[in-house]
Amino acid sequence: MTLKKQHFKSDEVLIFDDAIIYKRGNYWHFRLWLEKERKYIRKSLQVKDKTAAIEKGRSYYLETQGNIKQGKAYFSKTAQEGVDLYLKHRQKDVVAKLIVPLRFKTIKNNLARWVDYIHKGTKLLELTRSSCEDYYHKRTEYGAALTTIHHEQTIINAMMKYLYRQGEAHIDGFDFKKLPRIDKGDESIKRATFKPEEIGEVEAAIHAYASEAFKDLNDSDNLKKYIISYYFLIAMSTGMRSGEQIQLRWSDIAFTEYKDKANEVSIIKIKVRAEISKVRKTRSFMVRDKGYLEDLRSVLWKKIKENEVLEKQEAEERGEEFKAIDLADAFIFSSDGKQELQHNLIRYHFNKIVELSGIDTKNRKIVP
């Protein structure tokens, strides 16, 4: 765009019709208006000589125009703004059912750790490929596992690739330091589990934990304690992935009777819907009924109905319409049927149960 200004001072020079170099003090500076971003680019040319300034101004102008044609931004978003932009993009994948909500939550949490590392106010355009070369060292200081760091770095670079394509960054990823080899033998890559002789002790500890909580289920903390106890008992029976189990609804469960030649057996059929499945494929399986789900249902449905009586009264006082929850659509592992269990709460009670069992896990990294 040609500048409207047509008359220039002795310390101002027009560059290619729409940029100016001008002298302030002893040094020459460059100025160009960006119509798309509605801002000026201002840059010191770091020279005192007018001829050299004109040459550098032309060179910088051509570089700038080349970058504009490539869609590169000049006024940088911060690291936090970049993460927010990427999460907004990935939220669309959740709506389109390309990823499950739990996957989105994992991406969000991993990028929050990156923001803590890089600092939220850091400009995206100032980042270089070596800006995260110490990421591994910083994360291990907080006890992060090698596989966890690997997943985080993959997600971070996926974000940077997106931001680069959007013209918000000059790089499409970081050159993270090469991680140590994960495979150090068959046993080392297996997730640590309880020994066969410890299983009974763990199960007994869970039952004791639930029994203690059952004494006062009107206490919200005790109710959560009770629910999580049954979460673990059912996990032991089904072997389900945690991300899938916490998203189960009562409509995903069917109680049936199976009779073979020998006897009649109570069976539970569990459906894992595609939208909550890690592999995004619906599957169903059956397990022997130990009565855990029936016990949990009898307690939770009663609590939900009791709470709804109070909620209805409060809604009527406010002059609002009250809509009761469909119990079949309620989350199984939830005190109100609406909110899923939080992983940090599961980890907290898992550690309490292990402590109660008296099992020594000091040299084993056993997780829920």
Side-chain angles (χ1 to χ4, degrees), residues 42-182:
R42 290 184 173 88
K43 179 182 175 67
S44 172
L45 297 175
Q46 299 293 316
V47 292
K48 298 179 181 180
D49 180 69
K50 182 176 181 179
T51 303
I54 293 172
E55 187 63 30
K56 288 193 74 172
R58 287 174 176 171
S59 177
Y60 187 64
Y61 176 88
L62 294 173
E63 178 188 335
T64 302
Q65 293 300 325
N67 288 334
I68 291 172
K69 288 180 180 178
Q70 293 178 38
K72 292 184 178 180
Y74 275 89
F75 298 98
S76 180
K77 285 182 168 58
T78 64
Q80 183 63 64
E81 290 171 336
V83 167
D84 293 341
L85 181 65
Y86 181 65
L87 290 176
K88 185 177 180 181
H89 165 68
R90 294 313 303 267
Q91 182 65 54
K92 296 177 183 177
D93 292 341
V94 177
V95 175
K97 297 183 178 180
L98 297 176
I99 61 173
V100 297
L102 195 63
R103 175 60 179 167
F104 176 80
K105 186 175 180 179
T106 299
I107 292 171
K108 184 177 180 179
N109 290 340
N110 287 350
L111 292 178
R113 297 188 188 101
W114 176 74
V115 169
D116 287 341
Y117 167 81
I118 207 72
H119 303 303
K120 64 180 181 180
T122 299
K123 303 293 185 182
L124 291 176
L125 293 177
E126 295 175 357
L127 296 175
T128 66
R129 297 196 69 89
S130 61
S131 293
C132 291
E133 62 180 359
D134 290 330
Y135 187 80
Y136 169 73
H137 301 298
K138 290 294 183 182
R139 290 293 289 123
T140 52
E141 287 178 7
Y142 290 95
L146 183 59
T147 52
T148 299
I149 298 172
H150 174 76
H151 290 313
E152 289 176 6
Q153 292 182 173
T154 300
I155 289 171
I156 291 166
N157 271 349
M159 176 191 67
M160 291 306 299
K161 186 175 182 180
Y162 170 78
L163 294 175
Y164 176 77
R165 291 200 305 267
Q166 298 301 309
E168 301 293 349
H170 290 323
I171 57 170
D172 62 356
F174 297 109
D175 292 332
F176 291 107
K177 284 190 175 180
K178 189 175 180 180
L179 297 178
R181 288 178 60 86
I182 298 175

Side-chain angles (χ1 to χ4, degrees), residues 113-357:
R113 297 188 188 101
W114 176 74
V115 169
D116 287 341
Y117 167 81
I118 207 72
H119 303 303
K120 64 180 181 180
T122 299
K123 303 293 185 182
L124 291 176
L125 293 177
E126 295 175 357
L127 296 175
T128 66
R129 297 196 69 89
S130 61
S131 293
C132 291
E133 62 180 359
D134 290 330
Y135 187 80
Y136 169 73
H137 301 298
K138 290 294 183 182
R139 290 293 289 123
T140 52
E141 287 178 7
Y142 290 95
L146 183 59
T147 52
T148 299
I149 298 172
H150 174 76
H151 290 313
E152 289 176 6
Q153 292 182 173
T154 300
I155 289 171
I156 291 166
N157 271 349
M159 176 191 67
M160 291 306 299
K161 186 175 182 180
Y162 170 78
L163 294 175
Y164 176 77
R165 291 200 305 267
Q166 298 301 309
E168 301 293 349
H170 290 323
I171 57 170
D172 62 356
F174 297 109
D175 292 332
F176 291 107
K177 284 190 175 180
K178 189 175 180 180
L179 297 178
R181 288 178 60 86
I182 298 175
D183 185 4
K184 297 181 180 178
D186 183 58
E187 291 302 315
S188 65
I189 62 173
K190 290 181 180 178
R191 177 169 288 174
T193 60
F194 292 109
K195 298 173 184 177
E197 62 270 21
E198 295 172 336
I199 297 298
E201 297 174 33
V202 174
E203 190 167 9
I206 296 173
H207 280 290
Y209 204 66
S211 297
E212 184 64 28
F214 187 73
K215 293 177 181 178
D216 182 14
L217 293 181
N218 290 322
D219 180 87
S220 60
D221 290 334
N222 275 345
L223 182 58
K224 291 175 183 177
K225 185 176 176 179
Y226 183 81
I227 294 169
I228 291 176
S229 296
Y230 274 82
Y231 168 88
F232 287 130
L233 290 171
I234 293 164
M236 291 177 73
S237 299
T238 64
M240 290 187 68
R241 295 185 177 104
S242 61
E244 295 173 348
Q245 185 174 330
I246 63 174
Q247 296 181 84
L248 282 179
R249 300 179 186 271
W250 288 108
S251 57
D252 298 322
I253 306 298
F255 298 87
T256 62
E257 298 291 332
Y258 172 77
K259 190 171 184 179
D260 61 15
K261 293 180 180 179
N263 51 31
E264 191 173 88
V265 180
S266 294
I267 296 290
I268 296 174
K269 183 178 181 181
I270 299 176
K271 180 177 72 174
V272 181
R273 289 166 279 117
E275 60 264 32
I276 69 172
S277 168
K278 183 177 180 180
V279 295
R280 294 192 288 281
K281 291 182 179 180
T282 298
R283 73 178 190 279
S284 297
F285 62 93
M286 292 185 173
V287 294
R288 183 184 290 270
D289 182 11
K290 292 187 177 182
Y292 296 147
L293 281 164
E294 190 64 61
D295 290 346
L296 188 60
R297 184 171 64 174
S298 65
V299 169
L300 292 184
W301 283 19
K302 180 181 178 182
K303 296 299 292 185
I304 289 173
K305 287 300 182 183
E306 288 175 355
N307 290 336
E308 285 186 339
V309 171
L310 298 174
E311 290 173 2
K312 184 177 180 181
Q313 291 175 349
E314 292 173 356
E316 289 174 348
E317 290 174 1
R318 296 192 300 268
E320 299 173 356
E321 183 182 354
F322 174 77
K323 185 177 181 181
I325 188 173
D326 181 352
L327 291 174
D329 197 43
F331 286 114
I332 292 176
F333 304 101
S334 170
S335 56
D336 61 2
K338 303 172 185 176
Q339 297 293 323
E340 302 172 14
L341 276 181
Q342 298 298 308
H343 284 284
N344 59 347
L345 196 62
I346 293 174
R347 285 192 295 269
Y348 171 80
H349 287 287
F350 177 77
N351 292 333
K352 290 291 184 182
I353 288 169
V354 172
E355 183 181 340
L356 181 63
S357 72

Side-chain angles (χ1 to χ4, degrees), residues 19-30:
I20 289 177
I21 62 169
Y22 58 97
K23 196 172 186 181
R24 290 291 180 271
N26 294 324
Y27 291 92
W28 287 85
H29 299 258
F30 175 91

